[in-house]
Structures are given as C-alpha cells and as structure tokens.
Amino acid sequence: MPTNGHKYSILLPTYNEKDNLPIIIWLIVKYMKASGLEYEVIVIDDGSPDGTLDVAKDLQKIYGEDRIVLRPRGSKLGLGTAYIHGIKHATGDFIVIIDADLSHHPKFIPEFIKLQQEGNYDIVSGTRYAGNGGVFGWDFKRKLISRGANFLSQVLLRPNASDLTGSFRLYKKDVLEKCIASCVSKGYVFQMEMLVRARQHGYTIAEVPITFVDRIYGTSKLGGTEIIQFAKNLLYLFATT
Ligand SMILES: Nc1nc2c(ncn2[C@@H]2O[C@H](COP(=O)(O)OP(=O)(O)O[C@H]3O[C@H](CO)[C@@H](O)[C@H](O)[C@@H]3O)[C@@H](O)[C@H]2O)c(=O)[nH]1
C-alpha cells in the first residue's frame, strides 16, 4: 500500500502492560512499516506500578520519539478518559484504537485502512460477532458478560454495528472528536457510546471480522465497577438518545 497522504495515530492505553508493550509495539511497527503509511504510536500510561512507562521510554529510544509518543498520566483515571487524552495529543487525521495486551492483532490495521479508503467510511470497527470473527481463550463467564452486554446494547440502542463493546477501531479524527463532544463515559463503556454517538450523527461504519485472543501476560482490568458503570450508561443512553 503506497503512502496515501494521511497520518495514522495509533492509541495504546496501558495499565500494567510491561510484558506486552515491547511485543505489541514491535508488531505495530512491523505492519505499519510494511504498509508504507505515515503513523505514530501514542502510549497513554496511567501510572502503572509495574514500570510500563520505563519500558515505553526504552522503546522510544529504539524506535524514535516521532514514532513512539508518550503521554502518561499520574494515576488510573479510566480507559475512556485515556483515549480522550491521547486524541488531544494526536497529530494524525485518523485514529486507531487498540488494546496493548495483544488481544488485538496489529495485522488487522492495514485491513481497516484499506476498507476505510475504499468506501471513505467514517469508522471501521473490528468485530468479534460477525462473519468469521471470534473470541479465543475466554472462560464461559467472560464470554457471557461480553455477549450479554452486546445483546442488551443491540436491543436498546440499535447501533449500526455488531460489536459495541470492542475497542479495536479506526476513526476519522474529526468524527471521533464530534462523538466525544457529547460523551459521558469515562471507562470501558466509552466504546459503546462512540458507536451510539456515531449513529446519532449519521456516520458510516464498516466492519472487519477480527479474532480476539485473551491475553497471556498480565490481567484484565475489567471489574465489577466497570460492569455496573456499563449498565448505568447503557440505560442513560437508552433514555437520552
Ligand atoms: N491508560 C489506561 N489504560 C487502561 C485502563 N484500563 C485498562 N487499560 C488498558 O486498556 C486495554 C484493555 O484493557 P483490559 O483490561 O485488558 O481489557 P480486556 O478485559 O482484555 O477486554 C475488554 O475491554 C476492552 C477495552 O478495550 C475491549 O476491547 C474488549 O472487548 C473487552 O471488553 C489494555 O491495554 C489495558 O492496559 C486505564 O484505566 N487507563
């Protein structure tokens, strides 16, 4: 894929991802370099006690400060606000959001970009719940939570997408900024709200089936508080949109 005149800002939110960070960044660099496209990786670390930020600083020395941009915050303020913080510092005209724990394979990023360019879509969303997408490595309880959250959101919010809780997506930056302008979500529920706001604005969404693989290193940060917050925001969005 030749340079297309656009720049892609790839947001990597991290909390205790010291073992995953070198691998995910290596993979992102590999696939973006092969694509020939202009890009930056923005690491938003929330004061991880495991030293993720020190690892990120070492990686910055390897790949360069223009490629690996560090935008840390002092403490864990929530995933949704981490994205918003990253977007404020992004210099690209497209934003890619990807988990740092290797659940999302960077090989899909060039596919997202190709599809976006073909149809001039506002958003390209990775989906685990359509086509040949899928989830590997989750236990029954975790699958039930994800499926249940998606099902409820589909019924109540009628989005134009099949995977509302997944975060692996490509957005036009101005589209994401408009969606964020009315955003109330601070945590994981941010992903769902973005697609609801996109529906309100009439933005176009294309989907790429992805395989989501559960992390090997570290642990998920999705806990009871996030699930309660998800339920509250789901009802709020149902009532107000
Ligand atoms: N900066 C920052 N990063 C965070 C925070 N909470 C989580 N993260 C980072 O966000 C990513 C996803 O967090 P996980 O806790 O590993 O999520 P998961 O259980 O694997 O997956 C769930 O959440 C994802 C959020 O992107 C969803 O994509 C996925 O569908 C699933 O619901 C990881 O890179 C993690 O370090 C936070 O408060 N601050």
Side-chain angles (χ1 to χ4, degrees):
M1 196 188 296
T3 300
N4 62 5
H6 298 293
K7 181 170 179 182
Y8 296 85
S9 297
I10 300 169
L11 304 192
L12 264 183
T14 58
Y15 192 75
N16 287 345
E17 304 291 0
K18 75 173 170 53
D19 296 321
N20 292 313
L21 200 61
I23 310 171
I24 189 82
I25 287 191
W26 185 82
L27 284 167
I28 291 171
V29 170
K30 175 184 157 158
Y31 284 97
M32 291 310 289
K33 203 172 168 186
S35 75
L37 300 172
E38 192 51 49
Y39 72 98
E40 64 185 355
V41 180
I42 303 180
V43 180
I44 308 116
D45 186 64
D46 271 4
S48 297
D50 75 344
T52 300
L53 187 58
D54 293 332
V55 174
K57 284 177 184 163
D58 287 344
L59 293 166
Q60 199 179 36
K61 284 180 203 142
I62 296 169
Y63 296 106
E65 290 184 12
D66 53 337
R67 284 279 182 247
I68 312 295
V69 179
L70 307 184
R71 295 296 173 201
R73 304 189 297 177
S75 58
K76 194 170 185 305
L77 298 170
L79 189 52
T81 62
Y83 296 135
I84 294 170
H85 180 71
I87 292 154
K88 280 187 189 141
H89 295 284
T91 60
D93 52 335
F94 282 91
I95 304 285
V96 175
I97 290 180
I98 181 170
D99 287 354
D101 61 355
L102 298 166
S103 305
H104 298 151
H105 200 301
K107 71 179 179 185
F108 291 110
I109 298 174
E111 274 190 54
F112 287 10
I113 293 171
K114 186 166 177 283
L115 184 60
Q116 189 285 323
Q117 292 285 290
E118 282 168 3
N120 192 26
Y121 296 106
D122 296 313
I123 301 168
V124 175
S125 178
T127 177
R128 300 163 290 184
Y129 301 127
N132 57 357
V135 173
F136 295 91
W138 274 355
D139 60 18
F140 178 73
K141 185 179 157 203
R142 187 65 209 268
K143 280 186 183 161
L144 194 68
I145 290 171
S146 180
R147 279 281 186 186
N150 259 290
F151 177 75
L152 269 179
S153 321
Q154 297 284 347
V155 171
L156 296 179
L157 304 174
R158 306 166 315 282
N160 303 317
S162 58
D163 190 345
L164 273 94
T165 53
S167 59
F168 196 9
R169 296 182 193 145
L170 167 71
Y171 296 86
K172 285 180 182 169
K173 187 183 176 193
D174 58 336
V175 161
L176 189 49
E177 284 169 337
K178 285 204 186 91
C179 291
I180 284 171
S182 45
C183 175
V184 294
S185 304
K186 291 190 165 50
Y188 284 59
V189 67
F190 176 90
Q191 344 283 10
M192 176 182 71
E193 182 167 359
M194 286 306 98
L195 294 190
V196 173
R197 300 294 172 202
R199 174 175 60 77
Q200 281 186 310
H201 288 289
Y203 291 136
T204 53
I205 305 172
E207 295 191 317
V208 171
I210 58 156
T211 39
F212 177 102
V213 184
D214 193 23
R215 62 164 70 236
I216 295 173
Y217 302 117
T219 51
S220 167
K221 284 90 204 174
L222 180 71
T225 315
E226 290 287 356
I227 294 170
I228 292 168
Q229 200 55 54
F230 183 92
K232 278 186 186 165
N233 282 38
L234 178 60
L235 291 176
Y236 172 80
L237 291 170
F238 174 61
T240 58
T241 63

